[in-house]
């Protein structure tokens, strides 16, 4: 996600508002705030339970709480106005570029990093980088095959035994490079056989992988991180 960098000619930032006279904001102030909320470069990151960290163009970090409608910037804290950070967070939630305020903080079961998940989400909780869902197309990093996820298990790769083999998913030779604590993901090869009766899947057999062996195939390659 890229942010627009076209800023007002004044190079406006928080300091303009700090030097403004006290009192109720004028119409012009409000217009300026919504303009800045839309056009300034700000990085918004959800940290859970309605809280967002906003890194502003001026280099400052502010904490926005959308449930309490509060921001730690001087514009909000001192002048009590609905600042550009609150507005920007609301815009990004509406646009779907950051997680909704109901999401809660958790830990990724694959890498241990911060993860935001819906309240009551079933295990495993996964970060943005490792999040996989049933139906996702993924690339097997070992073979390059593109396969389809049919299940994301909360069980670890060293707890799940491969059917018919006396070895766990973690113990399987081609999985040696991936963490034994990775959640196990089941996937199928989506090849189709066309017969007189119609198209049928070649095989419904699901194979088990440590999660980080699989890489999500993006809809638009390279569009996102
Ligand atoms: Zn603010
Ligand atoms: Zn992760």
């Amino acid at each position: 996600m890229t942010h627009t960098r076209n800023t007002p000619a004044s190079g406006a930032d928080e300091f303009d508002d700090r030097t403004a006279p006290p009192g109720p904001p004028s119409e012009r102030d409000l217009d300026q705030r919504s303009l800045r909320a839309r056009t300034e470069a700000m990085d918004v990151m959800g940290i859970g339970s309605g809280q967002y960290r906003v890194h502003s163009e001026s280099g400052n970090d502010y904490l926005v709480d959308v449930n309490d409608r509060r921001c730690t910037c001087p514009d909000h804290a001192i002048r009590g106005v609905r600042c550009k950070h609150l507005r920007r967070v609301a815009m990004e939630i509406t646009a779907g570029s950051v997680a909704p305020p109901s999401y809660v903080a958790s830990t990724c079961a694959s890498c241990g990093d911060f993860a935001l998940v819906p309240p009551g989400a079933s295990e495993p909780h996964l970060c943005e980088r490792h999040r996989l869902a049933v139906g996702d197309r993924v690339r097997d990093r070992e073979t390059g095959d593109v396969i389809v996820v049919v299940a994301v298990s909360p069980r670890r790769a060293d707890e799940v035994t491969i059917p018919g083999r006396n070895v766990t998913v973690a113990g399987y030779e081609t999985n040696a490079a991936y963490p034994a604590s990775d959640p196990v993901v089941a996937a199928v090869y989506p090849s189709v056989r066309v017969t007189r009766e119609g198209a049928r899947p070649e095989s419904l057999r699901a194979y088990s992988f440590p999660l980080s062996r699989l890489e999500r195939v993006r809809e638009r390659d390279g569009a996102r991180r």
Side-chain angles (χ1 to χ4, degrees):
M1 157 124 255
T2 53
H3 295 295
T4 47
R5 293 264 166 191
N6 53 324
T7 57
S10 64
D13 65 17
E14 283 77 8
F15 298 102
D16 287 3
D17 291 327
R18 247 193 279 196
T19 56
S26 69
E27 280 300 315
R28 197 185 152 276
D29 285 344
L30 291 175
D31 288 350
Q32 283 292 311
R33 278 193 191 85
S34 29
L35 180 68
R36 288 179 204 167
R38 275 197 302 275
T39 60
E40 281 186 29
M42 290 186 234
D43 282 318
V44 178
M45 184 192 161
I47 54 176
S49 307
Q51 301 208 315
Y52 296 83
R53 201 201 64 205
V54 179
H55 185 72
S56 75
E57 195 170 278
S58 60
N60 294 317
D61 280 339
Y62 298 114
L63 194 65
V64 165
D65 188 318
V66 297
N67 297 327
D68 292 346
R69 293 202 173 81
R70 295 174 74 91
C71 178
T72 54
C73 78
D75 205 21
H76 179 86
I78 297 170
R79 303 188 67 218
V81 295
R82 187 162 177 263
C83 63
K84 61 189 177 187
H85 312 109
L86 273 161
R87 289 159 194 253
R88 178 62 164 265
V89 169
M91 284 176 202
E92 298 218 6
I93 292 169
T94 306
S97 49
V98 297
S102 56
Y103 277 38
V104 293
S106 187
T107 305
C108 177
S110 180
C111 66
D113 275 359
F114 175 79
L116 269 184
V117 296
S122 55
E123 304 273 344
H125 294 172
L126 298 164
C127 72
E128 173 63 27
R129 202 156 48 95
H130 289 118
R131 193 165 302 143
L132 285 185
V134 171
D136 280 353
R137 292 168 69 233
V138 289
R139 183 174 289 110
D140 178 354
R141 294 178 196 272
E142 295 296 314
T143 63
D145 291 335
V146 173
I147 53 184
V148 178
V149 173
V150 293
V152 182
S153 162
R155 298 180 65 205
R156 295 161 49 114
D158 57 2
E159 290 173 351
V160 176
T161 304
I162 297 175
R165 311 227 188 183
N166 197 19
V167 65
T168 64
V169 174
Y172 197 68
E173 53 184 326
T174 56
N175 293 336
Y178 305 96
S181 59
D182 250 8
V184 170
V185 173
V188 294
Y189 290 79
S191 52
V192 169
R193 182 174 25 181
V194 181
T195 66
R196 226 177 303 167
E197 291 82 42
R200 284 195 326 190
E202 193 90 59
S203 162
L204 288 176
R205 179 157 172 210
Y207 293 83
S208 297
F209 300 87
L211 185 140
S212 51
R213 176 167 162 173
L214 304 175
E215 172 186 30
R216 222 175 336 170
V217 176
R218 308 281 176 186
E219 300 297 318
R220 291 176 302 146
D221 247 354
R224 307 190 78 184
R225 160 167 68 99

